[in-house]
Amino acid sequence: MRILRLYAPSLIGDHTLCYVHNNDAGETCINEVPITIRLTHCGEPLDDETARNSMNIVLPVDAAPNDGDFMSLEDDGGVLRWSEPEKRFTVASRGFLSVSGHVEFWRPIKAAILTVSDKGSKGEREDTAGPELAALSIDRGIDIMENKIVPDDKDDIAAAITEWCGKGYNLVLTTGGTGLSERDVTPEALLSIADKVVPGFGEMMRIETLCYTPRAFLTRGVAVIKGKTLVIAFPGSRRAARECFEAVAPGLRHGVETLAGWEGECGRG
């Protein structure tokens, strides 16, 4: 699905390209000017007061997002979010809107993040990898519903993940405990509760991050399925968690949608 027109009478009128972002006050902006961003279908009038004071993203008539859906600006990587009650978009991730730019609507993925760290669980070390994964997740249309820090204990890790799977979360991301030390037991915890193993995630992490460090093959990142939940174990450092997430991100949404039975909704308009 492509954007047919970008029309904002209060901002000159028609635009071919514009920057969408939040300002320091959290307001939705186009080219640094606070403005409401709304969805308009092709053929709808654009001369009422609401249209005149908004940036109107004109889409085909079959564009039908549900409340809370994300709209991916695929050509640029930005993400907007639709509010059905307010009939407007908010900015989840800044980017560029362009006429003829390709967009997709994404159903939100409900997720949780588990940080595994002895020191972190005692408040002796700041968790940087968990927040990093949360920040990266928004670009993939992932809602982080919960986060938690547990020590490097196999039973504690397994219990937290099992609880979240029971709540029906689509995705659980863990960070930490994937190394070679005696206390690194996150992969073993995941495997102990797994219904299935998905080896490709760990393989891609190791393959793709070799360009950053020749020791990438030492990480024991794994992914498993428990019920309808995909669980992925990432390294514990902020940088390594980011690099590994980026390695698997291209296939992450498709994997979750397939597991959840949403295949028919992929890229829906």
Side-chain angles (χ1 to χ4, degrees):
M1 178 171 55
R2 295 191 179 275
I3 295 175
L4 304 178
R5 188 182 184 188
L6 294 170
Y7 182 62
S10 63
L11 297 177
I12 303 174
D14 280 295
H15 294 248
T16 56
L17 179 71
C18 57
Y19 179 51
V20 56
H21 61 103
N22 292 319
N23 62 16
D24 291 341
E27 298 173 300
T28 298
C29 297
I30 295 290
N31 299 336
E32 301 186 357
V33 178
I35 192 170
T36 297
I37 302 177
R38 72 173 201 150
L39 166 63
T40 302
H41 292 103
C42 181
E44 291 182 353
L46 291 170
D47 56 358
D48 60 13
E49 184 177 356
T50 301
R52 288 194 297 271
N53 294 302
S54 303
M55 167 57 76
N56 300 273
I57 302 177
V58 181
L59 295 176
V61 293
D62 59 348
N66 295 316
D67 184 42
D69 278 358
F70 294 90
M71 185 172 78
S72 166
L73 314 179
E74 289 203 324
D75 297 329
D76 176 68
V79 179
L80 304 183
R81 191 159 201 187
W82 177 248
S83 171
E84 181 64 28
E86 298 178 352
K87 300 295 183 183
R88 67 185 183 94
F89 287 107
T90 55
V91 180
S93 177
R94 63 190 178 185
F96 287 90
L97 289 167
S98 61
V99 173
S100 295
H102 188 255
V103 298
E104 283 189 354
F105 287 115
W106 288 342
R107 182 171 175 170
I109 293 173
K110 294 183 178 180
I113 295 177
L114 183 69
T115 298
V116 180
S117 169
D118 285 333
K119 290 185 177 180
S121 66
K122 298 175 184 177
E124 298 174 356
R125 174 181 292 170
E126 180 186 2
D127 176 24
T128 58
E132 184 72 8
L133 289 176
L136 293 167
S137 293
I138 194 69
D139 287 341
R140 297 290 159 177
I142 300 170
D143 273 336
I144 304 302
M145 311 300 292
E146 292 188 60
N147 57 76
K148 186 177 183 180
I149 302 177
V150 297
D152 290 272
D153 180 88
K154 181 179 174 181
D155 292 338
D156 287 349
I157 299 167
I161 295 171
T162 299
E163 177 186 354
W164 286 339
C165 293
K167 291 182 177 181
Y169 293 159
N170 310 113
L171 179 67
V172 173
L173 308 177
T174 76
T175 173
T178 61
L180 305 183
S181 74
E182 183 178 359
R183 292 290 292 171
D184 288 328
V185 294
T186 300
E188 288 69 31
L190 268 61
L191 293 171
S192 73
I193 60 172
D195 296 325
K196 296 179 180 179
V197 178
V198 191
F201 282 92
E203 292 167 359
M204 284 301 294
M205 290 182 202
R206 289 180 280 275
I207 291 170
E208 293 297 315
T209 58
L210 276 172
C211 64
Y212 303 115
T213 172
R215 296 191 295 273
F217 67 91
L218 294 175
T219 185
R220 298 191 303 124
V222 297
V224 303
I225 293 170
K226 181 171 176 59
K228 289 288 189 178
T229 305
L230 177 63
V231 187
I232 310 173
F234 293 95
S237 77
R238 179 179 182 179
R239 176 181 172 181
R242 167 181 279 276
E243 292 170 351
C244 287
F245 184 94
E246 291 174 343
V248 302
L252 182 56
R253 169 162 285 274
H254 180 72
V256 171
E257 289 179 335
T258 301
L259 180 59
W262 302 345
E263 305 100 310
E265 300 180 28
C266 297
R268 59 190 172 82

